[in-house]
Amino acid sequence: MPLNGERAFEVMQREGVDTLIASSTENVYYVSNYWSLGKKLGCGVQAYAVLPIKGAPAVVAPIDEADLVLDSQTWIDDIRFHGSSKVDFSRPEEPFEQTELLLKLYEGAKPEADGATALIKALEEKGLTEGVIALDASGLTPSLYEQIKSKLPGAKLVDGASLLREIRLVKTESEVERIKRATAITEKSMEDALEIARSEITELDLAGMYAHSVTYDGGHVTQNLIGFRERSAFPNPVPSLFEAERRDLVRMTFGCTWDHYHSNISRTAVIGRPLQKVQRRWEAVMSAQDAALDAVEPGAKIGDVCGAALKALEDADVKGFSGGVGHGLGVECNERPWIEKDAEGELLEGMVVNIDIPVLELGWGGTQLEDTILVTSDGFELLTRTDRTLYLL
Amino acid sequence: MPLNGERAFEVMQREGVDTLIASSTENVYYVSNYWSLGKKLGCGVQAYAVLPIKGAPAVVAPIDEADLVLDSQTWIDDIRFHGSSKVDFSRPEEPFEQTELLLKLYEGAKPEADGATALIKALEEKGLTEGVIALDASGLTPSLYEQIKSKLPGAKLVDGASLLREIRLVKTESEVERIKRATAITEKSMEDALEIARSEITELDLAGMYAHSVTYDGGHVTQNLIGFRERSAFPNPVPSLFEAERRDLVRMTFGCTWDHYHSNISRTAVIGRPLQKVQRRWEAVMSAQDAALDAVEPGAKIGDVCGAALKALEDADVKGFSGGVGHGLGVECNERPWIEKDAEGELLEGMVVNIDIPVLELGWGGTQLEDTILVTSDGFELLTRTDRTLYLL
């Protein structure tokens, strides 16, 4: 399961939080293993996971996602349902095992009218309506947030979304495994796309090959940005029918999910031999990423990791670069820690972080190198395995 | 462009709304044509579209999505930026046309610190901080909503998300074209998947072929649910390694997007010859969908359309079915009108609606037929083109 339980309780205790309530698809999944499809598709579905510091946790799901709760093999026993069912569950004669389990869920369910009601009832029955409740609002509309708040007059509500981001900072082994798998799919698919790169091909051709290869491996495409020549300097080059010529720069940012965990990688290629300026730019990008990586170890100040990269870019006379050089990666593609100059806090063993150096010069071109690392006890492990090189096609 | 401008102004006028503010990725896209990638990826990005009943509209975007605003060919001239840039836009000697336009955006931008500040400033400069403001909260966190609200003490805030759903009820020609294209991709890809269906194949094999085919055609997979045998009765059969045998039911729900517009279709198949009970169930499903379709015409009461289907199911002695028989389809996969028994309101020419009849009997199996129609002046046009039949494989 994704949840880092030990860390969750440590953080809750430190912050004086009695009960944590997850509400976004990602956070409910993180806490409980259950992924709400209806919520992700934006059908107005409500789903929650309740994690108290004392007592048993609970999951709240729409009754017609009972099969998804079952499939999730959630570690949480107390499952509360809401909404009405479209299923006939009059007992058949010899159901097979999975159906038997699902029938039990349906037969035992006393669904509440809606998710918020089911959530409040769970809190009431567990004696969790008072004390400090960290409510994750990232999966709530403002009106739903107000509705829940008004039903908890005895509680002190604090920000559950940031608490979950804090907990999620340090990954479990099973999270790292998923990120590794997503990364492997992304890298293989990028190399499949590069196989077909040559003059006269379009950005869309490459993007199609990437998506094709990810899909073939069972991943889900999340990012597929490809820019040729001057378009390589665009921050978000959505693939177009623009055709490559010899000597063009090709800047690529790719991502996918595997089992709801993200990968994210950027590479730069040249069709043919690189111009001298391209070579110089690439050396600047490499040196900046190397400088950041050299600074990575448990206890390193995050601001220093960013600072090392920025200094290398400055030394190489790169202009226009501001902001951070990376971000955490997990059940969300962009999550803490943000690798920024002014960031507080330190790197911790078990963090998964992208070190991302985009150098974009409008009217000339863009080069970018983005890799994923796991912070280990004595430094880091590179989770991306493809060459950190300027690809010559 | 997606926006139904005439209808937007009609609805705003009728509801006494002076200014409409869109905040979700989908609603900003609907109003302005600009799709915020960062917002969709959940990176904490803010994007807005402001549509006043008098005066010029505006778009608010992060400066490093200036290229996406440009690509969108938005009809809105007043573009406001926020955030800091990672781009070097010192003017090159001979930029090509697209870069030239992007340079102008960067050079003219005076980005505000954040999205909410840029939004409020736009409202202030346009004299739109008072009167009735319909604020779409569907793209806002509760704290962002509070922040914006506190900056507009002279305004009466009403629910912009429902107003936009009301406006979006009637589709423009360009919206219908996109839905048609998404539907064509989904149907072709479903047929590709059915080509390989036979005994001993797994649900994942079929799902992979569907995703493969959608991706090949440039669509983005949204729904890919496939259940064999008893799993066909599960409400959300996430494809597994479960293998098909002769006579198994295969229930499928597929969807994809094209240019951010959705398709959604469900079909049922049998491997080999159907059992008598399957045949009877299918006839019930067909008759219910036919009954609903017979009731479709502009001015038809939505509750009656649902009622007609429910009566047909009752006549066929189908148990366990409750709730609605469909939903609107557009820039969101599930949107108004909801085809429900107690629904108020009427069908209007230009609505795009799914008529969806799932009959799920746990422990036995599920059959489902879901098609997309466009309500026309004299009835409807079926946007799905594949046979509405029980597929025999």
Side-chain angles (χ1 to χ4, degrees):
Chain A
M1 68 186 189
L3 177 67
N4 192 335
E6 201 178 321
R7 185 171 165 83
F9 287 116
E10 259 174 44
V11 172
M12 287 169 70
Q13 203 133 33
R14 193 192 67 209
E15 300 292 324
V17 167
D18 299 300
T19 307
L20 173 62
I21 302 173
S23 75
S24 73
T25 313
E26 290 79 6
N27 282 333
V28 170
Y29 177 66
Y30 178 74
V31 172
S32 73
N33 239 37
Y34 148 59
W35 182 266
S36 171
L37 192 69
K39 188 163 179 74
K40 198 63 202 171
L41 289 173
C43 309
V45 162
Q46 291 177 57
Y48 302 97
V50 178
L51 188 68
I53 205 145
K54 278 181 206 151
V59 167
V60 176
I63 178 69
D64 272 347
E65 291 199 351
D67 55 343
L68 297 179
V69 176
L70 183 68
D71 276 353
S72 76
Q73 300 187 302
T74 178
W75 63 282
I76 297 175
D77 295 324
D78 183 358
I79 300 161
R80 315 268 176 145
F81 292 107
H82 62 89
S84 64
S85 159
K86 284 193 182 178
V87 171
D88 176 6
F89 52 93
S90 47
R91 183 165 276 280
E93 277 175 27
E94 289 175 36
F96 69 174
E97 194 193 335
Q98 220 183 352
T99 303
E100 183 68 51
L101 293 167
L102 188 55
L103 277 164
K104 276 188 189 150
L105 282 181
Y106 271 93
E107 286 167 357
K110 292 175 188 110
E112 302 295 331
D114 60 77
T117 308
L119 171 66
I120 299 296
K121 195 160 180 192
L123 295 174
E124 282 168 355
E125 288 179 13
K126 290 169 176 293
L128 299 174
T129 55
E130 305 204 337
V132 180
I133 298 181
L135 177 58
D136 162 30
S138 63
L140 301 176
T141 59
S143 71
L144 207 45
Y145 178 81
E146 284 306 318
Q147 192 186 328
I148 293 170
K149 190 178 162 186
S150 73
K151 296 272 173 61
L152 296 170
K156 184 189 167 198
L157 291 193
V158 299
D159 181 357
S162 1
L163 199 81
L164 276 154
R165 280 220 154 127
E166 163 96 31
I167 294 167
R168 282 167 30 203
L169 271 171
V170 173
K171 268 63 181 175
T172 59
E173 216 170 292
S174 93
E175 291 183 278
V176 173
E177 284 312 310
R178 290 163 201 218
I179 295 168
K180 277 185 178 171
R181 177 82 177 253
T183 302
I185 292 173
T186 293
E187 294 196 292
K188 180 218 149 197
S189 302
M190 176 184 75
E191 298 212 312
D192 285 347
L194 288 176
E195 281 289 326
I196 65 162
R198 51 165 179 71
S199 299
E200 291 182 14
I201 210 160
T202 70
E203 293 166 353
L204 272 170
D205 290 327
L206 250 58
M209 181 53 81
Y210 172 74
H212 208 254
S213 185
V214 168
T215 305
Y216 186 83
D217 287 345
H220 298 276
V221 176
T222 53
Q223 294 195 62
N224 195 353
L225 297 175
I226 299 172
F228 292 166
R229 205 176 320 164
E230 287 184 36
R231 286 177 50 81
S232 64
F234 287 20
N236 311 281
V238 174
S240 71
L241 286 168
F242 191 82
E243 277 186 15
E245 284 179 10
R246 261 186 88 72
R247 297 225 155 172
D248 271 0
L249 271 170
V250 178
R251 186 174 130 255
M252 303 162 285
T253 296
F254 293 122
C256 80
T257 56
W258 172 262
D259 217 356
H260 308 304
Y261 271 71
H262 285 265
S263 65
N264 183 202
I265 177 171
S266 301
R267 289 288 185 273
T268 308
V270 181
I271 297 181
R273 221 153 39 83
L275 295 168
Q276 220 184 1
K277 179 167 175 184
V278 171
Q279 196 64 50
R280 277 204 312 276
R281 271 297 145 89
W282 185 255
E283 279 159 21
V285 165
M286 280 293 293
S287 71
Q289 201 197 46
D290 281 338
L293 290 176
D294 282 346
V296 168
E297 60 180 352
K301 286 183 183 158
I302 292 172
D304 290 349
V305 173
C306 183
L310 295 183
K311 183 171 181 309
L313 287 175
E314 209 183 299
D315 289 348
D317 207 24
V318 169
K319 284 173 200 151
F321 195 90
S322 69
V325 300
H327 54 84
L329 190 77
V331 70
E332 291 186 278
C333 185
N334 286 265
E335 56 179 45
R336 286 183 60 191
W338 313 108
I339 311 300
E340 291 173 348
K341 205 176 162 183
D342 310 324
E344 289 177 13
E346 299 174 352
L347 290 181
L348 302 172
E349 188 182 341
M351 282 182 172
V352 173
V353 172
N354 266 25
I355 304 291
D356 177 19
I357 317 286
V359 171
L360 312 179
E361 190 179 331
L362 272 187
W364 178 75
T367 52
Q368 186 171 4
L369 179 63
E370 179 173 17
D371 286 271
T372 304
I373 57 163
L374 168 68
V375 181
T376 57
S377 59
D378 59 349
F380 67 89
E381 179 191 341
L382 202 58
L383 300 190
T384 38
R385 297 293 166 93
T386 41
D387 289 341
R388 296 188 305 123
T389 186
L390 181 67
Y391 283 78
L392 304 183
L393 306 175
Chain B
M1 68 186 187
L3 177 68
N4 192 333
E6 200 177 323
R7 184 169 167 86
F9 288 115
E10 259 174 43
V11 172
M12 286 168 71
Q13 203 132 33
R14 193 192 68 210
E15 301 292 325
V17 167
D18 299 299
T19 306
L20 173 61
I21 301 173
S23 75
S24 74
T25 313
E26 290 79 6
N27 282 333
V28 171
Y29 177 67
Y30 178 74
V31 172
S32 73
N33 240 36
Y34 147 60
W35 182 265
S36 172
L37 192 68
K39 188 162 179 75
K40 200 61 201 172
L41 289 173
C43 309
V45 162
Q46 291 178 57
Y48 302 98
V50 179
L51 187 68
I53 205 148
K54 277 181 206 153
V59 168
V60 176
I63 178 69
D64 273 348
E65 291 198 350
D67 56 342
L68 297 180
V69 175
L70 183 68
D71 276 354
S72 75
Q73 300 186 300
T74 177
W75 63 282
I76 297 176
D77 295 324
D78 184 0
I79 300 161
R80 315 268 176 145
F81 291 107
H82 61 90
S84 65
S85 158
K86 283 193 183 179
V87 171
D88 176 6
F89 53 93
S90 46
R91 183 165 276 280
E93 277 176 26
E94 288 176 37
F96 71 172
E97 195 193 335
Q98 220 182 353
T99 301
E100 184 69 50
L101 293 167
L102 188 53
L103 278 164
K104 276 188 190 149
L105 282 182
Y106 270 94
E107 286 166 356
K110 293 176 186 106
E112 302 294 330
D114 61 77
T117 307
L119 172 67
I120 298 297
K121 194 159 180 191
L123 296 173
E124 281 168 355
E125 287 180 13
K126 290 168 177 295
L128 299 173
T129 54
E130 304 204 338
V132 180
I133 299 181
L135 177 59
D136 162 29
S138 63
L140 301 177
T141 59
S143 71
L144 208 44
Y145 178 82
E146 283 305 318
Q147 192 186 326
I148 293 171
K149 192 178 161 186
S150 73
K151 296 272 175 61
L152 297 169
K156 184 188 166 197
L157 291 194
V158 299
D159 182 356
S162 358
L163 199 81
L164 276 155
R165 279 219 155 126
E166 164 95 29
I167 294 167
R168 282 166 30 203
L169 271 171
V170 173
K171 267 65 181 175
T172 59
E173 216 169 293
S174 92
E175 290 184 279
V176 173
E177 283 312 310
R178 290 163 200 219
I179 295 168
K180 277 186 179 171
R181 176 83 177 252
T183 302
I185 292 173
T186 294
E187 293 196 293
K188 180 220 151 196
S189 303
M190 177 183 75
E191 298 212 312
D192 286 347
L194 288 176
E195 281 290 325
I196 64 162
R198 50 165 178 71
S199 298
E200 291 180 12
I201 210 161
T202 70
E203 292 166 353
L204 271 170
D205 290 327
L206 249 60
M209 181 53 82
Y210 171 74
H212 209 254
S213 186
V214 167
T215 304
Y216 187 83
D217 287 346
H220 297 277
V221 176
T222 52
Q223 293 195 65
N224 194 353
L225 297 175
I226 298 172
F228 292 165
R229 205 178 318 163
E230 287 185 36
R231 286 177 49 83
S232 64
F234 287 20
N236 311 281
V238 175
S240 72
L241 286 168
F242 192 82
E243 278 186 13
E245 284 179 10
R246 260 187 87 74
R247 297 223 156 175
D248 271 1
L249 271 171
V250 178
R251 186 175 131 254
M252 302 161 287
T253 296
F254 293 123
C256 79
T257 56
W258 171 260
D259 217 355
H260 309 304
Y261 271 71
H262 286 264
S263 65
N264 184 202
I265 177 172
S266 301
R267 289 288 185 274
T268 308
V270 181
I271 298 181
R273 219 152 40 82
L275 296 167
Q276 220 184 3
K277 180 167 174 183
V278 171
Q279 196 63 51
R280 279 206 311 275
R281 271 296 146 91
W282 185 254
E283 280 159 19
V285 165
M286 280 292 293
S287 71
Q289 202 196 47
D290 282 338
L293 290 176
D294 282 346
V296 168
E297 59 179 354
K301 286 184 184 160
I302 292 171
D304 290 350
V305 173
C306 183
L310 296 182
K311 183 169 181 311
L313 287 175
E314 210 183 300
D315 289 349
D317 207 24
V318 168
K319 283 173 199 150
F321 195 92
S322 69
V325 300
H327 54 84
L329 191 76
V331 71
E332 291 186 277
C333 184
N334 286 265
E335 56 179 45
R336 287 185 59 191
W338 313 107
I339 311 301
E340 291 172 347
K341 207 175 160 183
D342 310 324
E344 287 176 14
E346 298 175 352
L347 291 180
L348 301 172
E349 187 182 342
M351 283 183 172
V352 173
V353 172
N354 266 27
I355 304 291
D356 177 20
I357 317 287
V359 171
L360 312 179
E361 190 179 330
L362 273 187
W364 178 74
T367 52
Q368 185 171 5
L369 179 63
E370 180 173 15
D371 286 272
T372 304
I373 58 164
L374 167 69
V375 181
T376 57
S377 60
D378 60 348
F380 66 89
E381 180 191 342
L382 202 58
L383 300 190
T384 38
R385 296 292 166 92
T386 41
D387 289 341
R388 296 188 305 124
T389 185
L390 182 66
Y391 283 78
L392 305 183
L393 307 175

